[in-house]
Amino acid sequence: MREALTYLPQILPAYIAYIIAVVSPGPAIMAIIGTSMTHGRKAGMTFSLGIFGGSLTWAIAAAAGLATLLQTYAMALELLKIFGGIYLLYLAYKAFRAVRSNGELTATTEGPKTPSFKSLILRGYGIHVTNPKAIFAWLAIIALGMPQGAPASVAVLIIVVCCTTGFLAFMGYAVLFSTPHALKIYRGARRWIEGAMAGFYCFAGIKLLTSNI
């Protein structure tokens, strides 16, 4: 690992690129925000754990060269893109149903029924791992921070540092958007928030299905 530290000047730009990517609103971040405001802090953090698992999966896959394999077998990438788009549209449907549900939240109501721990983990993991663009983002980050001839420990260091930052960021979003103030906003604008989530998921799903990766 000491040898990897000598590559810090090359790793720093990759780390900056990751920070920009992790703070940019996307399906994963928007889903964390929506889950935290809808179901509370515990659910948001559980969902974030699933997102983190998906990010870690793509990080390891990129380091192992899976992106090259997917580019070689174009059909596998196409199927992944279709599955991801359909999954996002399914989430849009779920959010739309929440918009149409009858009844307003009361002071003693925390919100819609909270999904199980397993369901939240799998839902978060599914959003991130079915987005093929994520692996190319990770591939770019590792390529940027790992010059030719660098030891494998450099890739390990990049993954550890970036994933630690990502974990803290995801959990931070969950905590921030599950505060009493955020929940108060949610109670007052539940239908608008769910409608925005439905529209965002629908847009992201259609964009993924029609994109050329």
Side-chain angles (χ1 to χ4, degrees), residues 153-178:
S153 57
V154 174
V156 173
L157 181 60
I158 292 172
I159 291 174
V160 169
V161 173
C162 288
C163 283
T164 299
T165 302
F167 178 82
L168 294 175
F170 298 150
M171 292 298 173
Y173 278 117
V175 171
L176 178 63
F177 287 93
S178 62

Side-chain angles (χ1 to χ4, degrees), residues 3-95:
E3 183 182 8
L5 294 177
T6 62
Y7 289 86
L8 284 178
Q10 289 79 26
I11 294 174
L12 183 59
Y15 181 62
I16 294 174
Y18 178 79
I19 292 177
I20 294 173
V22 84
V23 300
S24 301
I29 300 302
M30 293 300 294
I32 291 173
I33 292 172
T35 301
S36 299
M37 295 185 73
T38 305
H39 301 294
R41 180 169 300 175
K42 183 178 179 180
M45 295 180 74
T46 302
F47 188 88
S48 298
L49 192 59
I51 295 288
F52 172 75
S55 181
L56 183 60
T57 297
W58 281 131
I60 295 173
L66 182 58
T68 303
L69 181 64
L70 290 175
Q71 286 177 318
T72 302
Y73 296 97
M75 181 59 69
L77 182 59
E78 190 67 22
L79 289 174
L80 185 61
K81 185 182 75 170
I82 292 172
F83 184 80
I86 292 174
Y87 185 70
L88 286 170
L89 290 177
Y90 167 73
L91 292 179
Y93 167 73
K94 295 269 289 184

Side-chain angles (χ1 to χ4, degrees), residues 184-199:
K184 183 178 179 180
I185 293 175
Y186 173 77
R187 290 190 178 99
R190 180 176 67 88
R191 293 182 186 276
W192 289 101
I193 292 171
E194 294 287 358
M197 292 300 299

Side-chain angles (χ1 to χ4, degrees), residues 35 44 48 57 69-70 103 105 116 122 127 137 141 209:
T35 301
S48 298
T57 297
L69 181 64
L70 290 175
L105 296 177
S116 66
L122 292 178
I127 284 179
I141 289 168
L209 287 171

